[in-house]
């Protein structure tokens, strides 16, 4: 029973990581709509299994998408969520989130 549950969690984590990677690749290709769909899917699953590192990755990717598609308020919300989780975990993503947050805040100030 326990081994089965652990395998299921591992499978969900692999699925989420795959969706995040796909979303980030689509983001680099500037296919924002499909990227957002994949990242949203990864966020939902990550939250269901409480996989915080991928929750942070998903929020950061969603922030980047919102930033690239001229949605600064949404970008700010997602980026702050990513930064909060990253800081809680003490993971290197903090630096990326801080850099993106600075860009988003610059955009908001210039509006």
């Amino acid at each position: 029973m326990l081994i089965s549950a652990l395998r299921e969690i591992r499978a969900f984590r692999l699925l989420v990581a795959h969706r995040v990677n796909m979303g980030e690749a689509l983001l680099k290709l500037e296919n924002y709509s499909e990227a957002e769909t994949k990242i949203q899917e990864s966020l939902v699953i990550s939250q269901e299994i409480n996989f915080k590192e991928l929750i942070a990755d998903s929020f950061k990717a969603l922030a980047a998408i919102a930033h690239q598609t001229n949605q600064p308020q949404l970008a700010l919300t997602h980026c702050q969520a990513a930064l909060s989780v990253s800081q809680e975990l003490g993971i290197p993503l903090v630096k990326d989130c801080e850099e993106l947050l600075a860009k988003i805040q610059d955009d908001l100030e210039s509006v």
Side-chain angles (χ1 to χ4, degrees):
M1 181 76 124
L2 179 60
I3 292 173
S4 176
L6 291 174
R7 284 186 182 139
E8 188 173 325
I9 289 171
R10 184 172 183 268
F12 275 125
R13 287 183 176 196
L14 289 173
L15 174 68
V16 171
H18 174 70
R19 294 228 187 276
V20 169
N21 290 339
M22 259 177 110
E24 289 177 346
L26 289 164
L27 174 60
K28 288 179 183 176
L29 294 171
E30 297 180 2
N31 189 338
Y32 301 120
S33 179
E34 283 189 56
E36 184 176 14
T37 299
K38 297 296 181 199
I39 300 297
Q40 285 286 3
E41 291 170 358
S42 72
L43 178 60
V44 168
I45 297 168
S46 296
Q47 289 172 325
E48 287 177 4
I49 62 173
N50 198 32
F51 192 3
K52 290 189 176 188
E53 188 170 343
L54 284 178
I55 290 171
D57 285 338
S58 297
F59 273 127
K60 196 253 179 201
L62 288 171
I65 292 166
H67 182 250
Q68 291 297 322
T69 58
N70 198 28
Q71 301 175 73
Q73 287 296 341
L74 184 59
L76 180 64
T77 300
H78 288 319
C79 194
Q80 288 172 331
L83 182 58
S84 176
V85 175
S86 298
Q87 288 172 331
E88 174 188 332
L89 298 174
I91 58 176
L93 189 64
V94 168
K95 184 178 182 222
D96 293 338
C97 291
E98 289 173 340
E99 290 171 0
L100 180 56
L101 184 60
K103 291 176 186 176
I104 293 166
Q105 288 173 331
D106 284 348
D107 288 350
L108 285 169
E109 289 172 6
S110 66
V111 172

